């Protein structure tokens, strides 16, 4: 474990009247949060979904848009499950053929441009935008706002949109390997993307390691009792009105999936986070079955003193993790 071991002065940073975004948990309590056990048929459900996604021909189409540092950047369109075509970006190294690939997901706000800070110079990278999210992958009938998007299809595990978004990660990986060959892949995702990565990673052996930043969708037993400012709040209200939805969520708990992740994974988890309650983030780390690295950061989804320094350390940490584990 690296990063903070002493509680920052949150009351000074955010004011004495701010809601307690530690949700009453200190570091010791966060390290003790356990993942949610698997429901019956969990592995079968996810293996079937992964097989469906791997059978899709992604048919990626690139349009060059210019150079950024060590990479040539393109927009990309690719196919995913349910007959959808999504958008994003692909960046290819200028110096020569890529040695590895990176699948780089995003938060619930979608993505408006690629960010190459955590991408090695010799890596090819795809920045997919998940179905329905702004602005590269807007889909008729899927609301782009996180609070509504997260409820789409929640009536059953087969229709819930988070399964489709995990399929989008697998299809993005297929699109990248279609373009550059069967390279070993690294996954990076934050918030929504971190949670989606945790759901997707156990079922795809193309990935050799991962970074999950303030991952969402972990430990629904706790999340459903914790008012927050993120997408979890609309889920909390929905389950209160429709208790049967709790059974659907058991198949989409990032802490449960983490217990099947065996590749080296680093998790950046926050002590204070009004959008994604920290106990859920730490539950993802605590559940990991393989080699794990925990980076404790001060806060997530908010600005705070020292944030730029922590962010720079996090970028360096991801690059070091890739270097340490790349085949």
């Amino acid at each position: 474990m690296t990063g903070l071991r002493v509680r920052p002065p949150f009351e000074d940073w955010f004011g004495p009247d701010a809601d307690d975004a530690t949700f009453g948990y200190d570091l010791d309590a966060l390290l003790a949060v356990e993942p949610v056990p698997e429901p019956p048929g969990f592995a079968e459900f996810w293996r079937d979904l992964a097989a469906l996604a791997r059978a899709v021909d992604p048919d990626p189409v690139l349009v060059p848009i210019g150079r950024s540092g060590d990479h040539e950047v393109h927009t990309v369109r690719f196919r995913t499950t349910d007959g959808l075509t999504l958008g994003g970006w692909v960046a290819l190294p200028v110096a020569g053929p890529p040695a590895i690939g990176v699948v780089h997901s995003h938060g619930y706000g979608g993505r408006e441009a690629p960010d190459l800070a955590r991408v090695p110079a010799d890596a090819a990278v795809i920045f997919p935008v998940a179905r329905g999210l702004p602005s590269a992958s807007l889909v008729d009938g899927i609301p782009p706002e996180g609070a509504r998007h997260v409820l789409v299809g929640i009536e059953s595990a087969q229709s819930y949109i988070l399964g489709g978004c995990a399929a989008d990660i697998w299809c993005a990986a297929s699109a990248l390997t279609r373009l550059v060959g069967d390279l070993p892949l690294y996954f990076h995702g934050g918030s929504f993307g971190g949670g989606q990565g945790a759901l997707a990673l156990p079922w795809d052996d193309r990935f050799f390691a991962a970074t999950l930043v303030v991952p969402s969708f972990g430990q629904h037993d706790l999340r459903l009792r914790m008012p927050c400012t993120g997408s979890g709040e609309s889920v909390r209200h929905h389950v209160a009105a429709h208790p049967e939805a709790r059974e659907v969520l058991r198949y989409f708990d990032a802490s449960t999936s983490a217990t099947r992740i065996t590749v080296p994974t680093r998790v950046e988890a926050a002590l204070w986070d009004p959008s994604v309650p920290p106990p859920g983030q730490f539950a993802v780390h605590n559940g990991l079955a393989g080699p794990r690295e925990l980076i404790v950061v001060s806060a997530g989804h908010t600005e705070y003193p020292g944030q730029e320094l922590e962010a720079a350390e996090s970028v360096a940490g991801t690059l070091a993790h890739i270097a340490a584990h790349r085949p």
Side-chain angles (χ1 to χ4, degrees):
M1 180 177 70
T2 60
L4 294 175
R5 296 174 186 269
V6 178
R7 185 183 189 276
F10 294 127
E11 292 77 13
D12 294 338
W13 290 1
F14 306 119
D17 297 328
D19 291 336
D20 179 14
T22 70
F23 295 84
Y25 283 71
D26 62 14
L27 181 57
D28 288 340
L30 291 167
L31 293 172
V33 177
E34 296 185 355
V36 176
E38 291 185 9
F42 178 81
E44 293 79 6
F45 169 80
W46 280 103
R47 288 189 181 118
D48 288 349
L49 186 57
L52 183 67
R54 290 291 291 269
V56 171
D57 177 0
D59 191 25
V61 176
L62 300 184
V63 176
I65 56 175
R67 181 168 174 173
S68 177
D70 297 314
H71 291 82
E72 289 287 349
V73 183
H74 309 70
T75 61
V76 64
R77 302 290 292 174
F78 66 96
R79 294 174 181 167
T80 186
T81 56
D82 301 315
L84 298 177
T85 298
L86 305 181
W89 295 262
V90 165
L92 303 174
V94 173
I100 61 170
V102 177
V103 177
H104 201 307
S105 190
H106 55 80
Y108 233 143
R111 185 188 291 279
E112 297 300 326
D115 179 359
L116 292 160
R118 300 193 191 217
V119 179
D122 64 349
V125 56
I126 186 168
F127 297 89
V129 178
R131 61 185 64 194
L133 293 179
S135 57
S137 296
L138 296 174
V139 175
D140 289 343
I142 300 179
E145 306 86 8
R148 293 196 297 150
H149 184 279
V150 77
L151 297 180
V152 172
I154 200 171
E155 296 78 19
S156 75
Q158 288 69 30
S159 62
Y160 192 30
I161 196 165
L162 294 192
C165 292
D168 298 341
I169 290 174
W170 298 319
C171 289
S174 296
L176 185 62
T177 57
R178 175 67 62 86
L179 292 166
V180 300
D182 291 326
L183 298 177
L185 301 178
Y186 190 89
F187 179 83
H188 180 279
S191 191
F192 165 86
Q196 287 301 125
L199 294 174
L201 282 167
W203 322 107
D204 193 332
D205 61 7
R206 294 175 292 182
F207 290 95
F208 67 86
T211 285
L212 310 176
V213 181
V214 295
S216 190
F217 312 122
Q219 236 298 354
H220 286 300
D221 287 344
L222 296 176
R223 281 169 58 88
L224 292 171
R225 303 201 302 264
M226 295 178 171
C228 68
T229 59
S231 65
E233 185 67 358
S234 59
V235 174
R236 192 174 69 86
H237 284 290
H238 182 86
V239 173
H242 305 277
E244 66 277 8
R246 178 67 190 96
E247 296 308 307
V248 174
L249 291 175
R250 295 190 188 281
Y251 292 86
F252 301 91
D253 196 306
S255 72
T256 304
S257 290
T259 66
R260 288 182 171 267
I261 297 176
T262 58
V263 298
T265 302
R266 64 188 296 277
V267 175
E268 299 177 18
L271 297 175
W272 171 290
D273 194 325
S275 294
V276 179
Q281 299 178 30
F282 277 80
V284 173
H285 166 268
N286 298 345
L288 289 169
R292 62 189 188 182
E293 179 181 338
L294 174 64
I295 299 84
V296 181
V297 299
S298 297
H301 297 91
T302 190
E303 296 182 356
Y304 57 92
Q307 182 177 15
E308 290 185 1
L309 176 60
E310 287 191 359
E313 292 173 344
S314 294
V315 168
T318 295
L319 293 173
H321 195 250
I322 295 173
H325 297 290
R326 59 191 294 167

